[in-house]
Protein backbone atom coordinates (compact mmCIF):
# COMPACT_ATOMS: atom_id res chain seq x y z
CA UNK A 1 0.00 0.00 0.00
CA UNK A 2 1.39 3.41 -0.92
CA UNK A 3 1.30 5.78 2.03
CA UNK A 4 -0.74 9.01 1.80
CA UNK A 5 1.34 11.82 0.48
CA UNK A 6 2.45 13.99 3.42
CA UNK A 7 3.74 16.68 1.07
CA UNK A 8 0.73 17.61 -1.04
CA UNK A 9 1.72 21.28 -1.16
CA UNK A 10 5.27 20.53 -2.25
CA UNK A 11 4.22 18.44 -5.24
CA UNK A 12 1.43 20.91 -6.14
CA UNK A 13 4.01 23.70 -6.13
CA UNK A 14 6.26 21.72 -8.52
CA UNK A 15 3.32 21.23 -10.89
CA UNK A 16 2.42 24.92 -10.65
CA UNK A 17 5.99 25.92 -11.44
CA UNK A 18 6.06 23.65 -14.48
CA UNK A 19 2.71 24.98 -15.70
CA UNK A 20 4.05 28.53 -15.42
CA UNK A 21 7.10 27.61 -17.47
CA UNK A 22 5.03 25.94 -20.17
CA UNK A 23 2.73 29.00 -20.30
CA UNK A 24 0.18 27.26 -22.50
CA UNK A 25 -0.91 23.86 -23.74
CA UNK A 26 -1.24 20.39 -22.30
CA UNK A 27 1.42 18.16 -20.75
CA UNK A 28 1.06 14.39 -20.50
CA UNK A 29 3.44 12.54 -18.16
CA UNK A 30 2.91 8.78 -17.78
CA UNK A 31 4.53 6.78 -15.01
CA UNK A 32 6.66 3.69 -15.77
CA UNK A 33 5.12 0.48 -17.08
CA UNK A 34 5.28 -2.75 -15.06
CA UNK A 35 7.56 -5.27 -16.75
CA UNK A 36 7.01 -9.04 -16.61
CA UNK A 37 10.04 -11.03 -15.45
CA UNK A 38 8.66 -14.47 -16.20
CA UNK A 39 5.49 -16.41 -15.51
CA UNK A 40 3.27 -14.46 -13.10
CA UNK A 41 6.13 -12.37 -11.72
CA UNK A 42 7.27 -8.84 -12.46
CA UNK A 43 10.52 -6.95 -12.03
CA UNK A 44 10.38 -4.81 -8.92
CA UNK A 45 8.23 -1.88 -9.85
CA UNK A 46 9.92 1.52 -10.03
CA UNK A 47 7.78 4.55 -10.88
CA UNK A 48 8.94 7.05 -13.47
CA UNK A 49 11.20 9.71 -11.93
CA UNK A 50 9.47 12.67 -13.60
CA UNK A 51 5.98 11.45 -12.79
CA UNK A 52 6.84 10.85 -9.15
CA UNK A 53 8.68 14.19 -8.87
CA UNK A 54 5.43 15.92 -9.82
CA UNK A 55 2.93 13.76 -7.93
CA UNK A 56 4.45 11.68 -5.14
CA UNK A 57 2.08 8.98 -6.44
CA UNK A 58 3.71 5.55 -6.63
CA UNK A 59 1.12 3.30 -8.30
CA UNK A 60 1.71 1.88 -11.78
CA UNK A 61 -0.78 2.57 -14.59
CA UNK A 62 -0.98 6.26 -13.78
CA UNK A 63 -0.72 9.35 -15.95
CA UNK A 64 -0.47 13.01 -14.99
CA UNK A 65 -2.08 15.58 -17.28
CA UNK A 66 -1.34 19.25 -16.74
CA UNK A 67 -3.17 22.07 -18.45
CA UNK A 68 -1.16 25.29 -18.52
CA UNK A 69 -2.50 28.77 -19.24
CA UNK A 70 -5.16 30.92 -17.64
CA UNK A 71 -7.05 28.07 -16.03
CA UNK A 72 -4.32 25.63 -14.96
CA UNK A 73 -5.46 22.13 -14.06
CA UNK A 74 -3.75 19.11 -12.64
CA UNK A 75 -5.42 15.80 -13.50
CA UNK A 76 -4.52 12.26 -12.50
CA UNK A 77 -5.47 9.06 -14.29
CA UNK A 78 -5.01 5.99 -12.13
CA UNK A 79 -6.29 2.47 -11.49
CA UNK A 80 -9.84 2.11 -10.24
CA UNK A 81 -10.51 0.55 -6.89
CA UNK A 82 -10.77 -3.20 -7.42
CA UNK A 83 -11.47 -5.26 -4.31
CA UNK A 84 -10.70 -8.55 -6.05
CA UNK A 85 -7.26 -7.34 -7.23
CA UNK A 86 -6.58 -5.63 -3.92
CA UNK A 87 -7.00 -8.97 -2.11
CA UNK A 88 -4.14 -10.32 -4.24
CA UNK A 89 -1.89 -7.32 -4.85
CA UNK A 90 -2.68 -4.77 -2.16
CA UNK A 91 -4.25 -1.37 -1.80
CA UNK A 92 -5.14 0.91 -4.69
CA UNK A 93 -6.22 4.46 -4.02
CA UNK A 94 -8.69 4.75 -6.88
CA UNK A 95 -9.38 8.13 -8.49
CA UNK A 96 -11.48 9.68 -5.70
CA UNK A 97 -9.08 9.05 -2.83
CA UNK A 98 -6.04 9.81 -5.00
CA UNK A 99 -7.55 13.13 -6.03
CA UNK A 100 -8.18 14.14 -2.44
CA UNK A 101 -5.05 12.76 -0.79
CA UNK A 102 -2.59 13.84 -3.48
CA UNK A 103 -4.14 17.23 -4.22
CA UNK A 104 -5.24 17.03 -7.87
CA UNK A 105 -8.04 19.10 -9.41
CA UNK A 106 -9.59 15.95 -10.90
CA UNK A 107 -8.86 12.23 -11.21
CA UNK A 108 -10.27 9.60 -13.56
CA UNK A 109 -9.89 5.86 -14.06
CA UNK A 110 -6.96 5.02 -16.31
CA UNK A 111 -9.39 3.08 -18.54
CA UNK A 112 -10.84 6.44 -19.59
CA UNK A 113 -7.50 7.90 -20.64
CA UNK A 114 -7.84 7.73 -24.43
CA UNK A 115 -11.40 9.05 -24.41
CA UNK A 116 -10.59 11.92 -22.02
CA UNK A 117 -7.33 12.78 -23.78
CA UNK A 118 -9.25 13.40 -26.99
CA UNK A 119 -11.31 16.01 -25.10
CA UNK A 120 -8.39 17.47 -23.19
CA UNK A 121 -6.07 17.77 -26.18
CA UNK A 122 -8.69 19.45 -28.39
CA UNK A 123 -7.96 23.11 -29.03
CA UNK A 124 -4.78 23.13 -26.96
CA UNK A 125 -2.08 25.09 -28.79
CA UNK A 126 0.81 22.89 -27.64
CA UNK A 127 1.39 19.33 -26.48
CA UNK A 128 4.27 18.41 -24.19
CA UNK A 129 5.31 14.91 -23.18
CA UNK A 130 8.53 12.91 -22.68
CA UNK A 131 9.14 12.60 -26.42
CA UNK A 132 10.96 9.40 -27.36
CA UNK A 133 11.20 8.04 -23.83
CA UNK A 134 8.86 5.13 -24.52
CA UNK A 135 7.80 3.96 -27.96
CA UNK A 136 4.41 2.67 -26.86
CA UNK A 137 3.56 6.03 -25.30
CA UNK A 138 4.85 7.89 -28.36
CA UNK A 139 2.40 5.89 -30.46
CA UNK A 140 -0.49 6.32 -28.05
CA UNK A 141 -0.08 10.05 -27.74
CA UNK A 142 0.30 10.58 -31.46
CA UNK A 143 -2.86 8.49 -31.91
CA UNK A 144 -4.70 10.65 -29.37
CA UNK A 145 -3.71 13.71 -31.38
CA UNK A 146 -4.74 12.02 -34.62
CA UNK A 147 -8.15 11.31 -33.09
CA UNK A 148 -8.58 15.04 -32.49
CA UNK A 149 -7.36 15.87 -36.01
CA UNK A 150 -9.97 13.50 -37.41
CA UNK A 151 -12.65 15.72 -35.90
CA UNK A 152 -11.38 18.86 -37.64
CA UNK A 153 -14.65 19.31 -39.53
CA UNK A 154 -16.49 19.67 -36.24
CA UNK A 155 -14.32 22.69 -35.55
CA UNK A 156 -11.74 21.34 -33.06
CA UNK A 157 -8.03 21.73 -33.61
CA UNK A 158 -5.18 19.47 -32.57
CA UNK A 159 -2.07 21.03 -30.99
CA UNK A 160 0.30 22.22 -33.69
CA UNK A 161 3.40 22.25 -31.46
CA UNK A 162 4.67 19.01 -29.95
CA UNK A 163 7.69 19.22 -27.71
CA UNK A 164 9.70 17.40 -25.09
CA UNK A 165 8.55 18.16 -21.55
CA UNK A 166 11.93 16.94 -20.28
CA UNK A 167 13.61 20.12 -21.46
CA UNK A 168 11.73 21.88 -18.64
CA UNK A 169 11.70 19.06 -16.10
CA UNK A 170 15.41 18.34 -16.38
CA UNK A 171 16.29 21.89 -15.40
CA UNK A 172 13.83 21.85 -12.50
CA UNK A 173 15.19 18.57 -11.20
CA UNK A 174 18.79 19.72 -11.48
CA UNK A 175 18.41 22.07 -8.49
CA UNK A 176 17.38 20.07 -5.45
CA UNK A 177 14.98 21.56 -2.89
CA UNK A 178 15.19 21.06 0.88
CA UNK A 179 12.85 18.06 0.81
CA UNK A 180 14.97 16.32 -1.81
CA UNK A 181 18.20 17.10 0.01
CA UNK A 182 16.81 15.67 3.22
CA UNK A 183 16.11 12.36 1.45
CA UNK A 184 19.47 12.40 -0.34
CA UNK A 185 21.29 12.97 2.96
CA UNK A 186 19.49 9.97 4.44
CA UNK A 187 20.23 7.81 1.38
CA UNK A 188 23.88 8.85 1.69
CA UNK A 189 24.01 8.02 5.40
CA UNK A 190 22.50 4.56 4.89
CA UNK A 191 24.90 3.87 2.03
CA UNK A 192 27.91 5.01 4.07
CA UNK A 193 26.84 2.55 6.76
CA UNK A 194 26.68 -0.18 4.13
CA UNK A 195 30.24 0.51 2.95
CA UNK A 196 31.47 0.48 6.54
CA UNK A 197 29.67 -2.82 7.10
CA UNK A 198 31.21 -4.25 3.92
CA UNK A 199 34.69 -3.30 5.15
CA UNK A 200 34.05 -5.00 8.46
CA UNK A 201 32.87 -8.22 6.82
CA UNK A 202 35.58 -8.48 4.17
CA UNK A 203 38.37 -11.02 4.57
CA UNK A 204 40.28 -13.44 2.35
CA UNK A 205 38.32 -16.39 0.93
CA UNK A 206 34.91 -14.75 1.27
CA UNK A 207 32.94 -14.50 -1.96
CA UNK A 208 32.16 -11.17 -3.59
CA UNK A 209 28.45 -11.97 -3.28
CA UNK A 210 28.75 -12.41 0.47
CA UNK A 211 29.92 -8.82 0.69
CA UNK A 212 27.15 -7.73 -1.69
CA UNK A 213 24.71 -9.37 0.72
CA UNK A 214 26.07 -7.23 3.57
CA UNK A 215 25.44 -4.08 1.50
CA UNK A 216 21.88 -5.11 0.66
CA UNK A 217 21.23 -6.09 4.27
CA UNK A 218 22.25 -2.66 5.48
CA UNK A 219 20.19 -0.86 2.81
CA UNK A 220 17.08 -2.90 3.46
CA UNK A 221 17.13 -2.78 7.24
CA UNK A 222 17.04 1.02 7.01
CA UNK A 223 14.03 1.08 4.70
CA UNK A 224 15.91 1.38 1.41
CA UNK A 225 14.69 -1.84 -0.15
CA UNK A 226 16.58 -1.48 -3.41
CA UNK A 227 20.03 -0.45 -4.53
CA UNK A 228 20.03 2.59 -6.82
CA UNK A 229 21.92 0.48 -9.39
CA UNK A 230 23.44 -2.99 -9.46
CA UNK A 231 26.22 -3.08 -6.88
CA UNK A 232 29.75 -3.59 -8.15
CA UNK A 233 31.73 -5.81 -5.78
CA UNK A 234 34.98 -6.38 -7.61
CA UNK A 235 37.98 -8.11 -6.08
CA UNK A 236 41.47 -7.90 -7.61
CA UNK A 237 41.53 -7.77 -11.42
CA UNK A 238 37.72 -7.55 -11.56
CA UNK A 239 38.04 -3.92 -10.44
CA UNK A 240 39.62 -3.12 -13.82
CA UNK A 241 36.33 -4.02 -15.51
CA UNK A 242 34.46 -0.76 -15.01
CA UNK A 243 30.93 -2.21 -14.98
CA UNK A 244 31.74 -5.56 -13.36
CA UNK A 245 28.56 -6.95 -11.77
CA UNK A 246 29.33 -10.71 -11.73
CA UNK A 247 30.07 -10.47 -8.00
CA UNK A 248 30.82 -14.20 -7.89
CA UNK A 249 34.58 -14.53 -7.37
CA UNK A 250 36.54 -15.49 -4.26
CA UNK A 251 38.38 -12.64 -2.54
CA UNK A 252 42.11 -13.17 -2.38
CA UNK A 253 44.59 -12.24 0.31
CA UNK A 254 46.72 -9.37 -1.01
CA UNK A 255 44.09 -8.09 -3.47
CA UNK A 256 42.06 -4.91 -3.28
CA UNK A 257 38.27 -4.90 -3.27
CA UNK A 258 36.42 -2.13 -5.13
CA UNK A 259 32.79 -1.61 -4.11
CA UNK A 260 30.54 0.79 -6.01
CA UNK A 261 27.15 0.68 -4.30
CA UNK A 262 24.43 3.01 -3.09
CA UNK A 263 20.84 2.64 -2.03
CA UNK A 264 17.74 4.23 -3.42
CA UNK A 265 15.61 5.83 -0.72
CA UNK A 266 12.16 7.27 -1.48
CA UNK A 267 13.14 7.64 -5.13
CA UNK A 268 16.60 9.18 -4.60
CA UNK A 269 19.99 7.59 -5.22
CA UNK A 270 23.27 7.51 -3.37
CA UNK A 271 26.36 6.48 -5.35
CA UNK A 272 29.52 5.65 -3.41
CA UNK A 273 32.71 3.82 -4.31
CA UNK A 274 35.32 2.70 -1.83
CA UNK A 275 38.39 0.55 -2.50
CA UNK A 276 40.17 -1.28 0.31
CA UNK A 277 42.47 -4.25 0.92
CA UNK A 278 40.84 -7.67 1.30
CA UNK A 279 43.17 -8.46 4.20
CA UNK A 280 42.78 -5.06 5.89
CA UNK A 281 46.28 -3.68 5.12
CA UNK A 282 47.32 -1.82 1.95
CA UNK A 283 50.66 -3.01 0.57
CA UNK A 284 53.07 -0.33 -0.51
CA UNK A 285 52.22 -0.36 -4.25
CA UNK A 286 48.49 -0.31 -3.47
CA UNK A 287 49.02 2.55 -1.05
CA UNK A 288 51.01 4.55 -3.62
CA UNK A 289 48.24 4.30 -6.19
CA UNK A 290 45.50 4.84 -3.60
CA UNK A 291 47.06 8.08 -2.35
CA UNK A 292 47.21 9.40 -5.92
CA UNK A 293 43.51 8.70 -6.50
CA UNK A 294 42.63 10.16 -3.10
CA UNK A 295 44.60 13.34 -3.86
CA UNK A 296 42.90 13.57 -7.27
CA UNK A 297 39.53 13.28 -5.57
CA UNK A 298 40.42 15.98 -3.02
CA UNK A 299 41.45 18.32 -5.84
CA UNK A 300 38.22 17.62 -7.73
CA UNK A 301 36.04 18.15 -4.64
CA UNK A 302 37.83 21.44 -3.95
CA UNK A 303 36.93 22.52 -7.50
CA UNK A 304 33.23 21.68 -7.08
CA UNK A 305 32.40 25.26 -6.12
CA UNK A 306 29.57 27.54 -7.18
CA UNK A 307 30.65 29.55 -10.21
CA UNK A 308 33.20 26.98 -11.33
CA UNK A 309 32.18 25.16 -14.49
CA UNK A 310 31.14 21.51 -14.69
CA UNK A 311 34.46 20.42 -16.14
CA UNK A 312 36.72 22.00 -13.54
CA UNK A 313 36.55 19.11 -11.03
CA UNK A 314 37.37 16.70 -13.88
CA UNK A 315 40.31 18.81 -15.04
CA UNK A 316 41.60 19.07 -11.47
CA UNK A 317 41.41 15.29 -10.99
CA UNK A 318 43.06 14.51 -14.31
CA UNK A 319 45.97 16.82 -13.51
CA UNK A 320 46.72 15.07 -10.23
CA UNK A 321 46.26 11.61 -11.74
CA UNK A 322 48.49 12.35 -14.72
CA UNK A 323 51.29 13.59 -12.44
CA UNK A 324 50.79 10.51 -10.28
CA UNK A 325 51.06 8.19 -13.28
CA UNK A 326 54.31 9.92 -14.26
CA UNK A 327 55.63 9.45 -10.70
CA UNK A 328 54.66 5.76 -10.86
CA UNK A 329 56.54 5.53 -14.18
CA UNK A 330 53.51 4.24 -16.05
CA UNK A 331 53.12 7.46 -18.05
CA UNK A 332 56.14 9.14 -19.57
CA UNK A 333 57.12 12.68 -20.51
CA UNK A 334 56.16 16.03 -19.03
CA UNK A 335 52.80 16.66 -17.34
CA UNK A 336 51.80 18.93 -20.22
CA UNK A 337 52.66 16.19 -22.74
CA UNK A 338 50.72 13.52 -20.85
CA UNK A 339 47.71 15.84 -20.66
CA UNK A 340 48.05 16.93 -24.27
CA UNK A 341 48.40 13.40 -25.67
CA UNK A 342 45.86 12.05 -23.19
CA UNK A 343 48.14 9.11 -22.43
CA UNK A 344 46.65 9.07 -18.90
CA UNK A 345 43.48 7.66 -20.50
CA UNK A 346 45.10 4.24 -20.60
CA UNK A 347 44.61 4.16 -16.80
CA UNK A 348 41.78 6.68 -16.33
CA UNK A 349 39.26 6.40 -19.13
CA UNK A 350 36.03 7.70 -17.59
CA UNK A 351 34.82 11.08 -16.51
CA UNK A 352 35.01 12.34 -12.93
CA UNK A 353 31.30 12.52 -12.18
CA UNK A 354 27.69 13.01 -13.14
CA UNK A 355 24.58 14.65 -11.76
CA UNK A 356 22.94 12.64 -8.99
CA UNK A 357 19.33 12.67 -7.84
CA UNK A 358 16.27 10.58 -8.57
CA UNK A 359 18.30 8.78 -11.21
CA UNK A 360 21.82 7.72 -10.34
CA UNK A 361 22.93 9.39 -13.56
CA UNK A 362 20.50 12.22 -13.09
CA UNK A 363 19.01 14.59 -15.62
CA UNK A 364 20.33 18.02 -16.54
CA UNK A 365 22.50 19.39 -19.31
CA UNK A 366 26.24 19.59 -18.76
CA UNK A 367 26.76 22.26 -21.41
CA UNK A 368 24.76 25.37 -22.23
CA UNK A 369 25.24 26.76 -25.73
CA UNK A 370 28.28 24.57 -26.19
CA UNK A 371 30.01 25.73 -22.97
CA UNK A 372 30.37 23.74 -19.73
CA UNK A 373 27.71 25.10 -17.39
CA UNK A 374 28.47 26.80 -14.07
CA UNK A 375 27.88 24.92 -10.84
CA UNK A 376 25.12 26.41 -8.69
CA UNK A 377 23.96 25.90 -5.10
CA UNK A 378 21.49 23.00 -4.93
CA UNK A 379 23.16 20.92 -7.64
CA UNK A 380 24.22 17.42 -6.57
CA UNK A 381 26.95 15.48 -8.34
CA UNK A 382 29.40 12.68 -7.83
CA UNK A 383 33.18 13.04 -7.78
CA UNK A 384 34.73 9.70 -8.69
CA UNK A 385 38.26 9.59 -10.06
CA UNK A 386 39.94 6.22 -10.45
CA UNK A 387 42.91 4.31 -11.77
CA UNK A 388 42.76 0.93 -13.50
CA UNK A 389 46.05 -0.81 -14.31
CA UNK A 390 45.83 -3.89 -16.49
CA UNK A 391 48.79 -6.29 -16.81
CA UNK A 392 51.27 -5.36 -19.55
CA UNK A 393 54.97 -5.84 -20.20
CA UNK A 394 55.75 -2.17 -19.69
CA UNK A 395 54.00 -2.01 -16.29
CA UNK A 396 55.79 -2.98 -13.03
CA UNK A 397 54.42 -6.29 -11.76
CA UNK A 398 53.49 -4.82 -8.36
CA UNK A 399 50.93 -2.57 -10.08
CA UNK A 400 49.20 -5.23 -12.16
CA UNK A 401 45.45 -5.50 -11.66
CA UNK A 402 45.21 -2.59 -9.27
CA UNK A 403 41.81 -1.00 -9.82
CA UNK A 404 40.88 1.88 -7.54
CA UNK A 405 37.98 4.33 -7.58
CA UNK A 406 36.90 6.68 -4.81
CA UNK A 407 33.46 8.19 -5.23
CA UNK A 408 31.54 10.66 -3.08
CA UNK A 409 28.29 12.55 -3.45
CA UNK A 410 28.58 16.33 -3.36
CA UNK A 411 26.06 19.11 -2.81
CA UNK A 412 27.12 22.48 -4.18
CA UNK A 413 26.31 25.14 -1.56
CA UNK A 414 26.45 28.95 -1.60
CA UNK A 415 29.82 28.89 0.16
CA UNK A 416 31.41 25.82 -1.44
CA UNK A 417 30.17 22.30 -1.10
CA UNK A 418 29.05 19.61 1.31
CA UNK A 419 30.24 16.02 0.97
CA UNK A 420 27.07 14.04 1.67
CA UNK A 421 28.97 10.75 1.93
CA UNK A 422 31.72 11.87 4.30
CA UNK A 423 30.90 9.09 6.75
CA UNK A 424 32.23 6.31 4.49
CA UNK A 425 35.86 5.70 5.59
CA UNK A 426 38.28 6.90 2.95
CA UNK A 427 41.81 7.55 4.19
CA UNK A 428 44.25 4.64 4.41
CA UNK A 429 44.38 5.06 8.19
CA UNK A 430 40.58 5.18 8.62
CA UNK A 431 40.00 2.14 6.39
CA UNK A 432 42.66 0.08 8.14
CA UNK A 433 41.23 1.11 11.51
CA UNK A 434 37.67 0.03 10.57
CA UNK A 435 38.98 -3.27 9.20
CA UNK A 436 41.00 -4.00 12.33
CA UNK A 437 37.78 -3.82 14.35
CA UNK A 438 36.02 -6.47 12.32
CA UNK A 439 32.91 -8.23 13.65
N1 LIG B 1 27.58 3.57 -10.00
C1 LIG B 1 27.51 4.20 -11.25
C2 LIG B 1 28.44 5.29 -11.36
O1 LIG B 1 29.29 5.44 -10.51
O2 LIG B 1 28.37 6.10 -12.22
MN1 LIG C 1 29.22 4.65 -8.58
MN1 LIG D 1 28.80 7.49 -10.11
Amino acid sequence: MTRPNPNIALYAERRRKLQQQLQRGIAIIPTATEVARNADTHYDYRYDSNFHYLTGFAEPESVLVLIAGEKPQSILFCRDKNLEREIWDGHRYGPDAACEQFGFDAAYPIAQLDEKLAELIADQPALFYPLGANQAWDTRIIQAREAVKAKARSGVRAPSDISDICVHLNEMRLIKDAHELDIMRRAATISCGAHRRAMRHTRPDRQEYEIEAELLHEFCRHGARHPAYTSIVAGGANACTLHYVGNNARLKDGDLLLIDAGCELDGYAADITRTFPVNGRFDSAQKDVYEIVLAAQAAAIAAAQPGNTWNMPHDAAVRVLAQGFIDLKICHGSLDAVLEKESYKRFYMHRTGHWLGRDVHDVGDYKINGEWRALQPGMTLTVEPGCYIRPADDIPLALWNIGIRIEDDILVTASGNEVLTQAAPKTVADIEEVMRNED
Side-chain angles (χ1 to χ4, degrees), residues 229-230 232 243 260-261 271-273 354 360-361 382 384 405 407:
Y229 52 93
T230 307
I232 296 172
H243 290 161
D260 184 343
D271 182 8
I272 304 177
T273 308
H354 48 81
V360 61
H361 290 183
T382 66
E384 49 180 305
R405 180 165 62 256
E407 175 175 28

Side-chain angles (χ1 to χ4, degrees), residues 3-18:
R3 280 170 292 155
N5 177 356
N7 292 295
I8 292 181
L10 176 96
Y11 292 100
E13 175 60 18
R14 288 180 188 160
R15 295 194 292 270
R16 194 193 57 77
K17 208 168 141 191
L18 180 59

Side-chain angles (χ1 to χ4, degrees), residues 23 48 52 64 67 81 89 97 103 114 116 118 123 150 167 218 237 246 293 300 341 359 380 395 431:
Q23 294 178 4
D48 174 76
H52 196 261
L64 173 67
I67 309 288
K81 291 294 288 175
D89 302 329
D114 292 328
K116 289 273 178 207
D123 291 328
V167 172
E218 195 68 13
V293 179
K341 290 190 202 136
D359 302 330
T380 45
I395 302 292
I431 289 172

Side-chain angles (χ1 to χ4, degrees), residues 170-210:
N170 293 357
E171 285 298 302
M172 282 176 70
R173 282 176 49 191
L174 184 54
I175 307 292
K176 272 66 181 177
D177 61 33
H179 175 72
E180 296 182 285
L181 290 174
D182 174 58
I183 302 172
M184 288 184 73
R185 282 197 180 89
R186 287 188 284 125
T189 301
I190 294 168
S191 303
C192 287
H195 278 265
R196 181 176 282 267
R197 183 183 182 98
M199 287 175 191
R200 292 166 70 90
H201 282 80
T202 294
R203 60 207 63 170
D205 294 330
R206 290 233 161 126
Q207 301 281 352
E208 291 166 343
Y209 53 71
E210 291 182 75

Side-chain angles (χ1 to χ4, degrees), residues 308-326:
N308 279 1
T309 61
W310 166 258
N311 215 38
M312 287 167 81
H314 178 67
D315 285 344
V318 163
R319 229 182 148 71
V320 175
L321 289 171
Q323 183 58 55
F325 299 162
I326 294 167

Side-chain angles (χ1 to χ4, degrees), residues 215-392:
L215 297 162
L216 296 176
H217 174 102
E218 195 68 13
F219 293 165
C220 197
R221 81 189 192 95
H222 286 99
R225 290 212 27 246
H226 303 289
Y229 52 93
T230 307
S231 307
I232 296 172
V233 182
N238 293 336
C240 294
T241 300
L242 296 179
H243 290 161
Y244 174 81
V245 288
N247 298 357
N248 56 2
R250 190 175 294 280
L251 297 172
K252 291 198 202 85
D253 200 350
D255 276 355
L256 291 174
L257 174 60
L258 181 154
I259 295 182
D260 184 343
C263 71
E264 178 173 301
L265 183 73
D266 297 344
Y268 288 83
D271 182 8
I272 304 177
T273 308
R274 289 293 183 264
T275 311
F276 52 92
V278 167
N279 64 15
R281 299 277 299 170
F282 287 87
D283 72 24
S284 89
Q286 291 167 346
K287 196 189 267 182
D288 287 347
V289 183
Y290 191 87
E291 294 291 6
I292 290 167
V293 179
L294 191 61
Q297 203 218 21
I301 292 174
Q305 302 278 339
N308 279 1
T309 61
W310 166 258
N311 215 38
M312 287 167 81
H314 178 67
D315 285 344
V318 163
R319 229 182 148 71
V320 175
L321 289 171
Q323 183 58 55
F325 299 162
I326 294 167
D327 297 342
L328 288 172
K329 299 190 171 40
I330 57 174
C331 277
H332 306 284
S334 66
L335 177 59
D336 284 346
V338 169
L339 293 173
E340 167 79 19
K341 290 190 202 136
E342 300 187 336
S343 48
Y344 63 85
K345 283 194 174 172
R346 180 176 172 197
F347 310 107
Y348 181 50
M349 59 298 280
H350 61 76
R351 295 195 53 85
T352 303
H354 48 81
W355 304 129
L356 180 74
R358 284 184 167 264
D359 302 330
V360 61
H361 290 183
D362 208 31
V363 294
D365 288 337
Y366 293 93
K367 284 190 170 177
I368 306 280
N369 298 326
E371 302 291 336
W372 295 113
R373 80 184 301 157
L375 297 175
Q376 288 170 239
M379 291 176 168
T380 45
L381 61 143
T382 66
V383 173
E384 49 180 305
C387 169
Y388 314 91
I389 309 176
R390 287 171 175 268

Side-chain angles (χ1 to χ4, degrees), residues 18-199:
L18 180 59
Q19 285 164 321
Q20 276 185 344
Q21 282 189 28
L22 301 180
Q23 294 178 4
R24 70 207 176 104
I26 180 169
I28 303 168
I29 301 146
T31 195
T33 307
E34 284 180 294
V35 182
R37 185 168 188 273
N38 51 30
D40 294 337
T41 66
H42 287 83
Y43 286 104
D44 284 328
Y45 182 69
R46 167 57 155 74
Y47 40 70
D48 174 76
S49 292
N50 286 327
F51 175 86
H52 196 261
Y53 175 76
L54 293 168
T55 63
F57 193 68
E59 288 186 21
E61 298 184 75
S62 308
V63 175
L64 173 67
V65 174
L66 296 176
I67 309 288
E70 281 176 12
K71 286 192 197 144
Q73 274 191 80
S74 182
I75 303 166
L76 180 75
F77 289 84
C78 67
R79 300 182 301 193
D80 249 330
K81 291 294 288 175
N82 180 331
L83 294 183
E84 167 69 12
R85 283 314 325 157
E86 288 178 59
I87 286 170
W88 289 89
D89 302 329
H91 174 262
R92 300 175 175 197
Y93 279 96
D96 292 345
C99 188
E100 186 194 336
Q101 295 192 33
F102 289 80
F104 297 101
D105 298 312
Y108 301 104
I110 189 72
Q112 293 178 17
L113 181 68
D114 292 328
E115 175 196 330
K116 289 273 178 207
L117 271 188
E119 292 167 22
L120 292 164
I121 288 175
D123 291 328
Q124 288 293 344
L127 168 60
F128 301 89
Y129 79 102
L131 202 59
N134 178 301
Q135 240 175 15
W137 276 110
D138 280 356
T139 306
R140 192 159 173 190
I141 287 170
I142 295 299
Q143 277 172 353
R145 182 171 172 272
E146 289 301 313
V148 177
K149 272 169 73 183
K151 291 191 204 149
R153 276 190 297 279
S154 65
V156 291
R157 290 179 58 123
S160 51
D161 290 353
I162 302 186
S163 51
D164 188 1
I165 188 85
C166 298
V167 172
H168 301 273
L169 275 170
N170 293 357
E171 285 298 302
M172 282 176 70
R173 282 176 49 191
L174 184 54
I175 307 292
K176 272 66 181 177
D177 61 33
H179 175 72
E180 296 182 285
L181 290 174
D182 174 58
I183 302 172
M184 288 184 73
R185 282 197 180 89
R186 287 188 284 125
T189 301
I190 294 168
S191 303
C192 287
H195 278 265
R196 181 176 282 267
R197 183 183 182 98
M199 287 175 191

